[in-house]
Amino acid sequence: MINPFAGVGGAVGLKGSDGADTVAAARELNASFGAARRAMPALLKLGGVQIVTAAGPMGEDACREAGLPARVVAWPKSAVTSPTDTRAACQSFIDAGAKLILFAGGDGTARDVATAAAMDVPLIGVPCGVKMYSGVFAMNASRAGELAARCARGPFDVQAVELLDIDESMLRADRSSSRLHGYALAPVDRARMQGSKAQMPANDRADTDAACRQLAAQFEHGTLYIVGPGTTMATLCGHAGVKGTMLGVDAIADGRLIAADASEATLLGLLDEWPSAAIVVGVIGRQGCLFGRGNQPISARVLARVPRNRIEAVASVAKLLSLADGRLFVDTGDADIDRALAGPLRIRTGANRSMVMRVMN
């Protein structure tokens, strides 16, 4: 099941894709509707698997492009699909005997799918949205397809995982309201599934504050710093002398806020103006994602313009030690960029302190 509008608001800075108004705004900003493209690596792993799907852009078109003989059992009510269409399609899958639901979308889509699946049918999410904080998502599309194909070949273990989501209207007002919406079943696979997002404990803040203070003091004159979202990055902006947007991507240079809550297009334009640039991001607790979860304006095209050795990350030691298998990962939607970002990366954990972590693609 593909949510054809998943992720449409990410690169253009809308912080989500929920609702017809957001989709319309994204169209006005010439956003890319790329959920089916993002899901394709998953579908290409499903040869020999019996598949039921929904008509048109909700799955049928992508299955046909991937060469998969899928049986259509659900039909959306209109060209602009809705959560009601998602829930109805998943109920049709279950009625047709589906033992696993593979869906492409974000946290909002996960909640809609889980409403139909209840705690009866396990889910695997292909990350195509803006927010993917829930525990039903695989690390990337390829791993989602690998796991779905493995589950189709025989018995597999499942576990209850958290369904998290953020109120997008509050997010656009730069106010985070992430909350637990319930639980869903997902296959157990530490190598392929991400964890659900964890909040930073209060006792870690002193170390990250010291790391941010030192990093801000080392900002170079004449260099554009692209700063990702999150509370740690908001702390960095404060030490750099600017008020960041916390839940958006900001650009700082020479002690000034050059762009607040920037879109991909804005960042690409700034990179044309500033030959020297660096990127600084935080780490999503318990997940370990650097790029591809909530910071889509720092897209593959933006990352291609900044040398890897000019990418910085800040996180507490406790947060890094909590990561599944001690891994960081990236999921930009561009396999070449993901491979280029893979390898050892030094993470600032405090003043004059750091850890080297391996980034997976």
Side-chain angles (χ1 to χ4, degrees), residues 38-62:
R38 287 294 300 267
M40 192 56 61
L43 299 183
L44 293 175
K45 302 287 186 180
L46 299 181
V49 175
Q50 294 184 29
I51 300 171
V52 294
T53 190
M58 292 189 72
E60 179 187 18
D61 296 345

Side-chain angles (χ1 to χ4, degrees), residues 47-309:
V49 175
Q50 294 184 29
I51 300 171
V52 294
T53 190
M58 292 189 72
E60 179 187 18
D61 296 345
C63 286
R64 183 184 299 113
E65 183 177 346
L68 298 174
R71 179 163 60 98
V72 176
V73 297
W75 292 264
K77 293 182 178 180
S78 68
V80 180
T81 59
S82 68
T84 300
D85 292 314
T86 297
R87 293 189 290 268
C90 291
Q91 185 59 58
S92 296
F93 300 162
I94 295 168
D95 294 343
K99 303 303 182 185
L100 175 77
I101 296 178
L102 179 70
F103 72 91
D107 283 325
T109 308
R111 288 173 56 194
D112 294 329
V113 173
T115 297
M119 294 293 284
D120 300 319
V121 178
L123 316 178
I124 300 176
V126 180
C128 296
V130 176
K131 315 175 303 298
M132 278 80 61
Y133 296 150
S134 300
V136 295
F137 287 99
M139 289 173 60
N140 57 37
S142 181
R143 285 184 169 85
E146 290 173 1
L147 181 55
R150 184 173 71 84
C151 292
R153 290 195 293 268
F156 55 94
D157 294 330
V158 298
Q159 62 183 345
V161 297
E162 295 174 335
L163 291 170
L164 303 175
D165 202 1
I166 294 177
D167 184 321
E168 290 187 2
S169 62
M170 296 185 71
L171 190 63
R172 294 185 188 101
D174 210 30
R175 296 168 58 197
S176 177
S177 59
S178 176
R179 68 184 182 93
L180 176 67
H181 286 274
Y183 295 86
L185 290 182
V188 178
D189 192 308
R190 288 172 62 88
R192 296 181 177 89
M193 297 293 285
Q194 69 176 33
S196 54
K197 182 181 186 293
Q199 301 297 324
M200 181 171 64
N203 58 359
D204 288 343
R205 298 190 187 282
D207 286 339
T208 54
D209 181 84
C212 290
R213 182 186 300 274
Q214 185 177 64
L215 177 56
Q218 295 171 349
F219 277 6
E220 301 167 359
H221 180 76
T223 295
L224 179 76
Y225 288 87
I226 297 171
V227 180
T231 54
T232 299
M233 294 298 97
T235 299
L236 176 65
C237 288
H239 286 308
V242 303
K243 181 175 175 54
T245 48
M246 189 172 77
L247 299 172
V249 175
D250 300 316
I252 301 169
D254 298 337
R256 296 181 295 118
L257 185 64
I258 304 299
D261 203 4
S263 67
E264 176 197 40
T266 298
L267 296 179
L268 290 171
L270 288 173
L271 289 171
D272 289 336
E273 301 174 20
W274 296 80
S276 175
I279 294 173
V280 189
V281 293
V283 175
I284 297 178
R286 217 159 69 198
Q287 280 188 6
C289 189
L290 290 177
F291 299 106
R293 303 288 187 273
N295 58 8
Q296 280 86 349
I298 309 177
S299 65
R301 292 201 295 169
V302 171
L303 289 161
R305 301 276 298 275
V306 179
R308 189 183 188 276
N309 63 2

Side-chain angles (χ1 to χ4, degrees), residues 3-21:
N3 174 359
F5 300 110
V8 69
V12 294
L14 295 179
K15 301 188 179 72
S17 309
D18 295 349
D21 290 345

